[in-house]
Amino acid sequence: VIGVGASSTAANRVAGMSGNIAIGASALGAAALTTFDENTAIGKNAMAVMTSTSTGGNTALGSQSMEAMTGGTQNTAIGYESMGQTTANISGVIAIGSSAGRNATANNELFINSQLKSSYANDQTQSIIYGGMASSAASQFLHFNVGYLQLGNSSTASELRLMEPSGSGTNY
């Protein structure tokens, strides 16, 4: 366990915790569990209230990232307040950008965003990129919440090929 900063996890270390890194005031501040392993929290209040016994393998980089989250595994939050208001015990979420996935409540989601959203529904429909990950490629999805999508530039020809499940594809 490495802890740097006021109230970082170093002050709350319990025998048996391993592989945790906390840098910043109150980073991993509530961690006092023996099964709380392999977490990285860098930034003020990053993972500040994680207390669940099913917590491990999380990475929070940025002030207030995963701040309100009490548990979960294998989540990655990069950016100021990314996953910051998430209180659900969720796993497999990737949030990149300031306030990305701030209100996430489900497992295995992707949020790329740099704007504050007021609800989970808005995180899904207004993040520039929102997706869901699954064990089967056919069950995964990726949404581009944009007014337009440009490939290449105006002086080059571009092709967008949409592949059918059969792999034959359709050109547009």
Side-chain angles (χ1 to χ4, degrees):
V1 176
I2 296 173
V4 177
S7 300
S8 68
T9 194
N12 296 318
R13 184 164 187 256
V14 174
M17 288 176 61
S18 68
N20 293 303
I21 297 173
I23 300 174
S26 298
L28 286 176
L33 302 166
T34 59
T35 58
F36 193 88
D37 296 331
E38 307 299 329
N39 295 287
T40 301
I42 299 176
K44 178 183 176 188
N45 294 332
M47 286 194 239
V49 297
M50 286 275 195
T51 56
S52 173
T53 57
S54 59
T55 300
N58 296 296
T59 302
L61 303 176
S63 180
Q64 299 175 28
S65 56
M66 292 189 208
E67 178 180 24
M69 199 169 178
T70 58
T73 59
Q74 300 172 341
N75 296 294
T76 302
I78 301 172
Y80 169 75
E81 204 179 50
S82 52
M83 295 179 70
Q85 294 302 308
T86 298
T87 57
N89 189 341
I90 57 178
S91 298
V93 175
I94 299 170
I96 301 171
S98 178
S99 299
R102 182 175 186 262
N103 306 291
T105 61
N107 295 329
N108 303 314
E109 292 185 300
L110 167 69
F111 300 91
I112 299 178
N113 180 45
S114 67
Q115 303 294 312
L116 177 64
K117 306 300 178 204
S118 60
S119 68
Y120 175 58
N122 288 345
D123 277 341
Q124 294 175 308
T125 61
Q126 297 175 9
S127 292
I128 192 165
I129 297 176
Y130 166 70
M133 297 165 283
S135 58
S136 134
S139 299
Q140 298 183 132
F141 62 89
L142 188 61
H143 293 271
F144 292 88
N145 297 311
V146 297
Y148 66 91
L149 178 62
Q150 179 177 333
L151 301 176
N153 59 47
S154 60
S155 65
T156 63
S158 297
E159 178 181 293
L160 175 60
R161 178 169 278 198
L162 303 176
M163 299 302 288
E164 309 271 337
S166 66
S168 62
T170 302
N171 293 324
Y172 292 95

